[in-house]
Amino acid sequence: NNLGMSYLRQDRPLDAINAFRRALEREPAFSVARLNLRIALAVTGDFAVALAGATDTEQASVLNSVCLLYTSD
């Protein structure tokens, strides 16, 4: 998960997606990695996949996080 976040902050969302998926393969119940995977997918513009199956709260968290990534320095 930390590697994925590092990639995401470096504007390398595809690498981040792969890192989050690897983290989830090792620990499928890792909810933070799942949320971060959704964020990385949304960053690539794949909102349908990013938000599929997410609760309303998860969807809001994903969209808010994407906004924060692109409005902070």
Side-chain angles (χ1 to χ4, degrees), residues 19-51:
F20 294 134
R21 286 184 172 151
R22 284 192 306 272
L24 287 165
E25 286 173 5
R26 287 189 291 272
E27 184 60 50
F30 193 0
S31 60
V32 173
R34 186 165 313 284
L35 177 63
N36 290 336
L37 173 59
R38 291 181 185 281
I39 292 165
L41 288 163
V43 166
T44 68
D46 199 348
F47 288 96
V49 173
L51 301 177

Side-chain angles (χ1 to χ4, degrees), residues 5 8-9 13 17 20 24 30-71:
M5 286 307 295
L8 201 52
R9 295 295 293 172
I17 288 167
F20 294 134
L24 287 165
F30 193 0
S31 60
V32 173
R34 186 165 313 284
L35 177 63
N36 290 336
L37 173 59
R38 291 181 185 281
I39 292 165
L41 288 163
V43 166
T44 68
D46 199 348
F47 288 96
V49 173
L51 301 177
T55 65
D56 289 344
T57 301
E58 291 167 334
Q59 289 181 14
S61 183
V62 168
L63 297 175
N64 286 335
S65 295
V66 171
C67 289
L68 287 173
L69 279 170
Y70 289 98
T71 58

